[in-house]
Amino acid sequence: MEAKTSLLDNMIGVGDMVLLEPLSEDSFLENLRKRFDHNEIYTYIGSVVISMNPYRSLPIYSPEKVEEYRNRNFYELSPHIYALADEAYRSLRDQDKDQCILITGESGAGKTEASKLVMSYVAAVCGKGQEVNKVKEQLLQSNPVLEAFGNAKTVRNDNSSRFGKYMDIEFDFKGDPLGGVISNYLLEKSRVVKQPRGERNFHIFYQLLSGASDDTLEKLKLDRDFSKYNYLSLDSAVVNGLDDATSFRTVKNAMQIVGFMENEVQSVLELVAAVLKLGNIEFKPESRCNGTDESRVKDKNDLKEMCELLGIEQAVLERAFSYRTVEAKLEKVSTTLNVAQAYYARDALAKNLYSRLFSWLVTRINESIKAQTKTRHKVMGVLDIYGFEIFEDNSFEQFIINYCNEKLQQIFIELTLREEQEEYVREGIEWTNIEYFNNAIICDLIENNQNGIMAMLDEECLRPGTVTDETFLDKLNTVCAEHQHFESRLSKNSKFLNDHSLPHSCFRIQHYAGKVLYCVEGFVDKNNDLLYRDLSQAMYKANHSLIKQLFPEGNPAKVNLKRPPTAGSQFKASVGTLMRNLQTKNPNYIRCIKPNDKKAPHIFTESLVCHQVRYLGLMENVRVRRAGYAFRQAYEPCLERYKMLCKRTWPHWRGPARAGVEVLMTDLQVPSDEFSYGRSKIFIRNPRTLFSLEERRRQCLQDLATLIQKIYRGWKCRTHFLLLKKSQIVVAAWYRRYAQQKKYQRIKSATTVVQSYTRGWQARKLLRELKHHKRCEEAVTTIAAYWHGTQARRELRRLKEEARRKHAVAVIWACWQGLKVRREYRKFFRANAGKKIYNFTIQRIMQKYFLGLKKTLPSMSPVDKNWPARPYHFLDTAHTELSTIFHLWRCKKYRSQFTKEKKAVYEEKLEASELFKDKKSLYPSSVSQPFKGDYLEISKNPKYQKLNSCVEEKVLLADVVNKINRANGKGATRILLLTKKNVVLADQKTGQVKASVALPDLTSVSVSTQNDGFFALKLKEGSASAVKGDFLLSSEHLIETITKLHHIGSTASDDGEQLNIDISDEFLVQFKQDKVCVKFIQGAQKNGSSVSCKRKNNRLLEVSVPASA
């Protein structure tokens, strides 16, 4: 694993200012500059981190960096904000100490980014899991929401926090986050209605107009053009590096992750739109008859749209802008508002509406991210609050912001010194108090309850009579005139009365960060922060759900005549609570410094940085750290780092770490006054001593490196030699093996050749012997064959001679017998010769006839009509009878092969023949076609499952037919089902039954003689099926359909009557009450022509059938 560099290794400049030598303001600034130029933006002052804003992205915040600093000692690696975050997190997790991270600095110094980095690091190193990841994601995503509504572009910072934020992140005993609580301090709500030149309003206004969809803007009654809204500054509406449209999508996504509902997001956007609309409302003066001035709204369109957004009656809000009601005990006085007062009321409403919306957002986020368990939690607080501000025009907001920074500076000095003292006491080290500037006197000037500036401002706001900013300044001049940190034209600290740098309406305070000139104009109004009761009540009457929550004081049933607390007193109480909270936690400091005012990278303005170093008290902090001991380190890492400097501790020390350090320091002869031993750490007084140790360590490391190189090279050479030796042995062994293999191959080859010659000689010798033996055997066989042949020929000649003799005897005997027979026959020939010859001849002819018939019988097919021709006329009767008998026998044999189903099919074919043969032109083409019956496979096809379930009996025929419409002669596709009891017609697409006819209600079926598929089902008059009349149908399987109808109709008839089949080219069909004649004519044969049906008149349908080819 790669070794990590420590605070003292390969450092650019000095990583810890405590070790800076010599220590002066110039060397301090030069060290900061040197590190800044090399992108080293973090520097330590002991445990305090100085952060320089680089104004650009640096590759030092990757996941690899997070892992590098995870669970590392604070000084183990180079300075980084991750080191401080890790130290705080581990102290909270392992030592059960509540932590707080205080991030301070000027506006634009990078405080907000620093707080994000701290939170992202803690989120990365703590535990994993679905619930933990959800909590971490909600905590991180709360930042974009609060930045959009609470940050704005200023002349010093493009993303300046215009509110103070303190987040307490709560952890369980394992160090996993459970939730958090956010506190906000003093939103700069005056920015809503007015922005200084070169600055913008809050980000959310520009993000909404740039990033919302057209539909959203239409619902909110907004336009994308910034120039149409009086509350938006135009000279800085677009900021380089800020994509408002993308930011808006990020904010909406963050709100969903945090837990905002869709209706809540919409309500928030409606209130933002209402603030923009509110700024466009303008007033005109009107004079009343009694001479008083009053105001009226100029253009009521924006007022109307705002009222529609918030659900307020237009007349109610318009009156609230024109009149003010003052209540005193039981009396109510209503006065008119002039134009200036109306504009004041409008702006006050806009500021209060936005400020209360922001507070509601913080409360809503807290509800989502708060810890669910009620057990004790460990807490890490992160404070990101506005920095010290010095503008050209400093007002009430800058006054209380700088007051907050004074309090933070005070707690920083106290806690830093206290921490230093506590460490020396804890380690048993002697300590001498160090003098430092304590800004408690400035805090007392501002917050003293008796004669502090804020107390006098509250007193001035509450006293009866005429109260103005000038009377407040007069009071300050009276009470604070002798205070050494307060200056005005009338105070004793001003150098001369005609000092033009100090106007009459201003006062100056010497803060820890420098002198700030405050203009008292607006102090009283901003401290009062009044919203007329009429406007509160008008807001409470809104139908908008969120508005009622934001203005509870507008409820008429809860009217409170008590004056609300002033803005200054509320902020003072909040700061006091914050300070008490911080003092209960272990502090960790990040001091942010802005390198230049141009917000540009690579620029280091020394005067600006020097000013910040001074007012942040960084030099005093270094001196406090160096007053006792400049460097301290635990015994274990100290011994590990310097053990190579002493032979007794190198390479391993077996005893306690402190004893090893003591041996080391004694052996190095370090003066005893340069260091002290604490309980767990060694303290080094002078940085030069530390640098001397580092120099010795560096030299020793070089010597050790040389030794290691020497040993390594020797080992490498020996290893190489042994490898060569081993390789030579291996090569020799392989060569000897190869040589022996080659020798063995030669011997083996020679042996094979000798063996092959020997085997060849033996084989040839054996072959010669076999051939000689074979010739001997063949000679014997040939001689024997010749001898046997001779013997056989002799015997054959003998047998032939004997046979000739026997044949001669037989011939002579036959001639003798024939002579005797002829002599006897001649005696009786004349009496019986004719009859016998006749009978013999007939028998021979019949025998020949039957044998010939056997050979010429026709095939066994019953339809084969061939029969052999008779040979003689006298056999006519026998020949015919035999033909009949053979045909009957052949039919019987053929019928014996039939199954029951096939027999029924042929019976139907026979019945069709009886019905249509020589009567219907379509019949011959149907003879060769088998009767299938169920052409639709209705029981198997899922499409007709519903139709099949409607039919109870077995389906004998299922086919698609066309039902002819009498109105136009066109056909509608139907499904025809035939069962033993019914004829069913159903819709082909839906399967819905259109008609069901019981077979007994069917009287006859009419068809034509032509080559068409039309047929008419005629129903009994008066039957239930005959309500709509007869059915005229067309089918491609007409012969089968009519045959099955005829066969089943005869069976289903109650009286046994057969169904009448009427075959005619004209027949009548009953359609409801009318009878229509259907006439069939023969048309000309055309390409692609088919049977067509046309309506000629109300009483005639003409069917044109193409002539057969």
Side-chain angles (χ1 to χ4, degrees):
M1 184 177 177
E2 182 185 357
K4 309 296 182 184
T5 58
S6 76
L7 182 66
L8 299 172
D9 286 329
N10 303 323
M11 189 60 61
I12 297 170
V14 179
D16 191 344
M17 289 293 188
V18 176
L19 304 178
L20 186 62
E21 188 69 27
L23 177 62
S24 65
E25 190 174 85
D26 293 338
S27 63
F28 191 98
L29 295 174
E30 182 58 30
N31 189 51
L32 286 179
R33 176 198 290 276
K34 185 176 181 180
R35 293 180 61 76
F36 179 77
D37 291 341
H38 288 82
N39 296 329
E40 294 288 342
I41 63 172
Y42 297 113
T43 309
Y44 292 156
I45 302 178
S47 59
V48 178
V49 176
I50 301 175
S51 172
M52 300 284 288
N53 192 346
Y55 288 115
R56 63 192 179 98
S57 298
L58 295 177
I60 58 174
Y61 306 109
S62 61
E64 292 76 16
K65 275 289 181 183
V66 172
E67 288 301 319
E68 183 179 336
Y69 280 86
R70 186 173 185 174
N71 293 327
R72 291 283 182 159
N73 186 275
F74 186 74
Y75 296 104
E76 189 173 349
L77 301 176
S78 58
H80 201 289
I81 194 172
Y82 285 169
L84 181 136
D86 187 75
E87 182 75 14
Y89 176 71
R90 286 191 295 113
S91 297
L92 175 137
R93 182 192 63 191
D94 302 335
Q95 301 176 18
D96 201 18
K97 292 181 180 179
D98 288 349
Q99 304 289 316
C100 64
I101 298 177
L102 307 182
I103 307 172
T104 57
E106 272 195 19
S107 178
K111 299 185 299 300
T112 301
E113 289 301 317
S115 68
K116 291 181 187 176
L117 291 172
V118 169
M119 292 179 64
S120 63
Y121 179 84
V122 173
V125 300
C126 62
K128 311 295 181 189
Q130 184 175 357
E131 283 299 321
V132 173
N133 289 339
K134 178 183 177 182
V135 171
K136 290 193 292 188
E137 191 66 18
Q138 287 184 335
L139 290 172
L140 293 176
Q141 291 300 325
S142 64
N143 282 324
V145 179
L146 295 178
E147 283 186 19
F149 286 87
N151 288 25
K153 184 230 183 252
T154 65
V155 293
R156 297 187 175 184
N157 188 359
D158 290 342
N159 188 31
S160 176
S161 298
R162 307 318 299 161
F163 72 104
K165 181 181 75 173
Y166 176 73
M167 174 183 284
D168 267 335
I169 307 173
E170 300 177 341
F171 297 83
D172 62 7
F173 68 97
K174 297 178 294 183
D176 295 339
L178 298 173
V181 179
I182 299 174
S183 302
N184 66 302
Y185 301 96
L186 190 66
L187 178 73
E188 188 189 11
K189 56 187 176 181
S190 61
R191 182 171 293 271
V192 175
V193 299
K194 183 181 179 182
Q195 305 91 41
R197 182 176 298 278
E199 299 189 3
R200 292 205 315 178
N201 209 324
F202 292 103
H203 292 325
I204 187 62
F205 296 110
Y206 305 93
Q207 293 173 359
L208 174 61
L209 297 180
S210 300
S213 63
D214 293 336
D215 292 340
T216 302
L217 291 180
E218 185 177 352
K219 290 179 182 178
L220 299 177
K221 309 181 188 302
L222 295 177
D223 193 280
R224 291 196 189 278
D225 189 1
F226 297 156
S227 62
K228 293 186 177 181
Y229 303 101
N230 297 334
Y231 279 167
L232 298 186
S233 174
L234 298 180
D235 58 343
S236 301
V238 179
V239 180
N240 293 332
L242 285 182
D243 186 349
D244 290 322
T246 303
S247 298
F248 180 73
R249 291 189 289 272
T250 302
V251 170
K252 286 197 70 176
N253 181 57
M255 293 179 78
Q256 292 177 353
I257 293 174
V258 171
F260 283 82
M261 307 297 290
E262 285 293 335
N263 60 330
E264 291 178 329
V265 175
Q266 184 63 25
S267 298
V268 170
L269 296 182
E270 286 172 354
L271 264 63
V272 174
V275 172
L276 290 176
K277 290 291 181 183
L278 192 59
N280 289 351
I281 299 175
E282 296 183 349
F283 303 95
K284 60 183 178 180
E286 283 190 5
S287 298
R288 302 181 67 179
C289 57
N290 58 3
T292 58
D293 292 334
E294 63 179 11
S295 61
R296 286 288 181 268
V297 177
K298 279 186 183 179
D299 184 3
K300 297 184 179 181
N301 184 50
D302 287 308
L303 178 64
K304 177 184 176 184
E305 292 180 347
M306 176 193 166
C307 292
E308 290 174 356
L309 282 172
L310 301 182
I312 304 174
E313 292 184 16
Q314 183 176 341
V316 173
L317 188 57
E318 187 176 359
R319 175 176 174 78
F321 281 138
S322 302
Y323 295 90
R324 178 187 179 189
T325 303
V326 180
E327 297 184 19
K329 295 185 179 180
L330 301 177
E331 296 183 2
K332 288 185 179 181
V333 178
S334 181
T335 59
T336 60
L337 301 179
N338 56 31
V339 173
Q341 292 171 330
Y343 276 116
Y344 174 83
R346 180 201 68 178
D347 291 345
L349 177 60
K351 291 187 290 184
N352 274 273
L353 183 59
Y354 190 83
S355 175
R356 297 183 188 202
L357 172 63
F358 185 79
S359 299
W360 180 86
L361 282 172
V362 174
T363 304
R364 179 65 182 82
I365 292 173
N366 284 337
E367 291 177 2
S368 296
I369 66 176
K370 68 180 179 181
Q372 301 300 321
T373 59
K374 295 183 179 180
T375 57
R376 182 186 176 276
H377 308 137
K378 304 176 183 180
V379 177
M380 176 185 290
V382 180
L383 178 64
D384 173 19
I385 204 161
Y386 17 60
F388 196 87
E389 294 185 349
I390 306 176
F391 296 147
E392 292 182 5
D393 296 323
N394 300 291
S395 186
F396 179 73
E397 290 83 5
Q398 283 68 45
F399 174 72
I400 57 176
I401 285 174
N402 293 341
Y403 160 64
C404 180
N405 278 272
E406 287 283 358
K407 295 294 290 182
L408 289 174
Q409 176 68 9
Q410 182 183 20
I411 196 172
F412 168 73
I413 294 173
E414 291 179 356
L415 292 180
T416 302
L417 183 59
R418 187 181 68 187
E419 181 184 0
E420 190 78 11
Q421 290 173 331
E422 287 178 353
E423 182 173 20
Y424 286 137
V425 172
R426 186 169 57 249
E427 293 291 331
I429 304 296
E430 294 183 3
W431 166 253
T432 304
N433 287 328
I434 302 300
E435 294 296 329
Y436 62 93
F437 171 71
N438 191 342
N439 66 337
I441 187 172
I442 304 175
C443 297
D444 185 70
L445 169 65
I446 298 173
E447 68 181 2
N448 190 284
N449 292 330
Q450 300 298 326
N451 52 8
I453 296 176
M454 295 182 75
M456 286 185 285
L457 180 59
D458 287 346
E459 183 180 335
E460 194 69 12
C461 291
L462 296 176
R463 75 176 178 81
T466 303
V467 178
T468 63
D469 296 320
E470 287 74 17
T471 60
F472 166 62
L473 182 59
D474 292 340
K475 192 161 190 173
L476 288 182
N477 291 330
T478 303
V479 177
C480 304
E482 297 183 0
H483 199 285
Q484 57 182 343
H485 292 277
F486 177 85
E487 296 179 16
S488 70
R489 289 294 292 265
L490 301 180
S491 70
K492 295 182 179 180
N493 292 322
S494 61
K495 296 179 181 178
F496 35 81
L497 296 179
N498 57 355
D499 184 0
H500 295 290
S501 66
L502 192 59
H504 285 284
S505 61
C506 299
F507 65 91
R508 184 186 292 141
I509 295 179
Q510 176 67 52
H511 287 283
Y512 77 95
K515 292 184 178 182
V516 181
L517 184 67
Y518 297 103
C519 178
V520 296
E521 183 179 351
F523 261 63
V524 174
D525 287 339
K526 292 177 181 178
N527 190 48
N528 275 325
D529 194 21
L530 289 179
L531 178 67
Y532 297 151
R533 185 175 287 110
D534 301 76
L535 290 172
S536 298
Q537 292 177 351
M539 290 293 105
Y540 188 80
K541 293 177 182 178
N543 293 328
H544 199 280
S545 58
L546 188 52
I547 289 290
K548 284 185 178 294
Q549 300 178 40
L550 300 184
F551 293 89
E553 75 275 11
N555 187 353
K558 299 180 180 179
V559 175
N560 187 4
L561 300 180
K562 185 179 179 180
R563 190 182 187 92
T566 61
S569 60
Q570 292 181 45
F571 185 73
K572 177 182 174 183
S574 300
V575 169
T577 303
L578 175 63
M579 296 302 120
R580 289 190 295 273
N581 191 0
L582 295 179
Q583 287 176 344
T584 62
K585 296 177 172 59
N586 184 49
N588 301 271
Y589 301 98
I590 301 174
R591 311 293 262 174
C592 298
I593 292 179
K594 182 167 60 173
N596 60 77
D597 277 329
K598 299 178 181 179
K599 296 180 282 189
H602 308 296
I603 298 177
F604 187 93
T605 306
E606 186 170 341
S607 59
L608 177 63
V609 176
C610 179
H611 173 68
Q612 295 174 80
V613 168
R614 287 174 180 172
Y615 79 68
L616 287 174
L618 299 184
M619 291 295 295
E620 288 81 356
N621 192 10
V622 176
R623 292 190 182 99
V624 167
R625 292 285 296 189
R626 290 173 58 125
Y629 296 89
F631 180 78
R632 75 278 327 265
Q633 192 173 28
Y635 291 121
E636 289 80 1
C638 180
L639 180 62
E640 186 67 24
R641 186 170 183 82
Y642 300 111
K643 64 182 180 180
M644 72 286 298
L645 301 180
C646 176
K647 293 181 179 180
R648 296 169 61 186
T649 57
W650 176 260
H652 299 293
W653 173 256
R654 303 299 180 184
R658 174 168 177 167
V661 173
E662 291 175 354
V663 169
L664 178 66
M665 300 304 282
T666 303
D667 190 72
L668 293 175
Q669 297 180 354
V670 179
S672 59
D673 58 346
E674 287 294 322
F675 64 91
S676 292
Y677 296 113
R679 293 187 176 90
S680 63
K681 297 178 182 178
I682 181 173
F683 292 79
I684 297 176
R685 186 180 303 278
N686 199 317
R688 285 192 297 271
T689 305
L690 180 65
F691 294 148
S692 174
L693 291 175
E694 283 296 311
E695 184 61 31
R696 291 186 187 182
R697 179 178 181 272
R698 195 161 23 252
Q699 184 62 43
C700 187
L701 288 177
Q702 291 178 358
D703 297 339
L704 288 174
T706 304
L707 177 62
I708 292 171
Q709 287 176 347
K710 181 184 74 172
I711 295 173
Y712 171 74
R713 287 171 183 154
W715 169 83
K716 187 174 182 181
C717 290
R718 283 192 303 276
T719 304
H720 182 63
F721 168 75
L722 292 174
L723 180 62
L724 289 176
K725 184 177 179 181
K726 182 179 179 181
S727 301
Q728 186 271 334
I729 295 172
V730 172
V731 170
W734 276 89
Y735 175 76
R736 286 194 294 271
R737 175 187 175 188
Y738 170 76
Q740 291 299 322
Q741 284 178 339
K742 294 295 287 183
K743 182 178 179 181
Y744 168 75
Q745 291 293 339
R746 287 196 301 271
I747 296 173
K748 182 179 179 182
S749 178
T751 304
T752 304
V753 171
V754 172
Q755 287 177 346
S756 65
Y757 276 101
T758 304
R759 291 189 185 107
W761 174 77
Q762 291 176 346
R764 286 190 295 275
K765 181 180 178 183
L766 180 62
L767 179 63
R768 284 194 299 271
E769 292 176 353
L770 290 175
K771 283 183 177 180
H772 176 72
H773 182 67
K774 183 178 180 181
R775 281 197 297 271
C776 293
E777 287 182 350
E778 288 178 351
V780 172
T781 303
T782 303
I783 294 170
Y786 274 101
W787 166 249
H788 291 146
T790 302
Q791 291 291 99
R793 282 190 294 274
R794 287 177 182 175
E795 182 66 20
L796 179 63
R797 284 195 296 269
R798 187 185 66 78
L799 291 175
K800 283 184 177 179
E801 185 63 28
E802 186 177 353
R804 277 196 299 271
R805 290 193 186 110
K806 286 183 179 180
H807 184 261
V809 172
V811 170
I812 294 171
W813 172 254
C815 290
W816 166 247
Q817 288 294 330
L819 179 62
K820 285 176 67 175
V821 170
R822 282 192 296 275
R823 285 177 181 173
E824 288 294 323
Y825 181 72
R826 276 196 292 270
K827 294 178 182 178
F828 303 99
F829 182 74
R830 291 182 181 86
N832 299 312
K835 185 177 179 181
K836 287 188 178 183
I837 290 171
Y838 175 80
N839 289 335
F840 179 77
T841 302
I842 292 300
Q843 286 178 0
R844 291 294 296 168
I845 289 172
M846 292 294 292
Q847 184 180 13
K848 183 179 179 181
Y849 168 71
F850 281 118
L851 291 175
L853 186 63
K854 177 182 178 183
K855 295 177 181 179
T856 59
L857 281 175
S859 67
M860 295 296 289
S861 174
V863 296
D864 188 358
K865 296 182 180 182
N866 295 324
W867 186 251
R870 56 177 171 71
Y872 304 101
H873 286 291
F874 75 91
L875 293 175
D876 275 345
T877 305
H879 190 72
T880 304
E881 286 296 327
L882 282 173
S883 174
T884 304
I885 292 170
F886 178 77
H887 179 69
L888 293 174
W889 175 79
R890 183 171 59 183
C891 289
K892 182 179 179 183
K893 294 289 287 182
Y894 186 78
R895 287 195 303 273
S896 66
Q897 300 173 6
F898 286 176
T899 62
K900 187 176 180 182
E901 291 79 8
K902 196 171 184 181
K903 185 176 180 182
V905 170
Y906 277 97
E907 287 177 353
E908 288 180 351
K909 283 285 186 181
L910 181 61
E911 190 171 354
S913 174
E914 294 172 356
L915 291 173
F916 297 107
K917 187 176 182 182
D918 300 329
K919 299 177 185 178
K920 177 76 174 170
S921 300
L922 187 64
Y923 173 72
S925 62
S926 71
V927 173
S928 60
Q929 298 176 357
F931 288 175
K932 186 176 179 182
D934 188 1
Y935 289 94
L936 303 181
E937 296 183 348
I938 192 166
S939 60
K940 300 178 182 178
N941 195 333
K943 180 179 177 183
Y944 304 117
Q945 184 177 2
K946 179 180 178 183
L947 180 60
N948 188 33
S949 63
C950 296
V951 181
E952 297 179 355
E953 302 90 3
K954 179 181 179 182
V955 176
L956 304 177
L957 176 69
D959 193 12
V960 177
V961 300
N962 284 329
K963 180 177 177 295
I964 307 303
N965 189 347
R966 65 163 289 188
N968 51 19
K970 294 184 178 180
T973 307
R974 295 286 186 267
I975 296 175
L976 185 142
L977 303 180
L978 177 62
T979 65
K980 290 184 178 181
K981 295 183 180 180
N982 296 286
V983 177
V984 178
L985 289 175
D987 188 89
Q988 186 185 15
K989 294 182 179 179
T990 63
Q992 182 180 359
V993 176
K994 294 292 186 180
S996 180
V997 179
L999 289 180
D1001 294 342
L1002 194 63
T1003 58
S1004 64
V1005 179
S1006 295
V1007 297
S1008 72
T1009 62
Q1010 306 293 330
N1011 191 17
D1012 64 274
F1014 282 75
F1015 65 97
L1017 300 180
K1018 296 186 178 181
L1019 307 178
K1020 252 181 215 179
E1021 293 185 4
S1023 64
S1025 305
V1027 176
K1028 294 184 179 181
D1030 301 336
F1031 294 98
L1032 181 58
L1033 308 172
S1034 173
S1035 172
E1036 293 181 358
H1037 307 96
L1038 172 71
I1039 302 300
E1040 180 181 359
T1041 303
I1042 303 303
T1043 303
K1044 288 185 180 290
L1045 268 174
H1046 181 266
H1047 179 75
I1048 299 169
S1050 303
T1051 307
S1053 177
D1054 297 334
D1055 51 6
E1057 292 183 4
Q1058 290 189 343
L1059 183 66
N1060 185 27
I1061 308 298
D1062 180 19
I1063 303 176
S1064 173
D1065 285 343
E1066 286 190 23
F1067 51 80
L1068 294 176
V1069 180
Q1070 180 79 30
F1071 287 114
K1072 292 188 179 179
Q1073 284 78 25
D1074 300 330
K1075 288 190 177 181
V1076 177
C1077 177
V1078 182
K1079 183 177 181 181
F1080 294 82
I1081 63 172
Q1082 237 178 13
Q1085 180 72 32
K1086 297 179 182 178
N1087 291 332
S1089 62
S1090 60
V1091 179
S1092 63
C1093 180
K1094 294 184 180 179
R1095 176 176 174 270
K1096 292 296 185 180
N1097 53 52
N1098 290 338
R1099 300 289 181 177
L1100 177 62
L1101 283 175
E1102 188 175 88
V1103 181
S1104 177
V1105 183
S1108 302

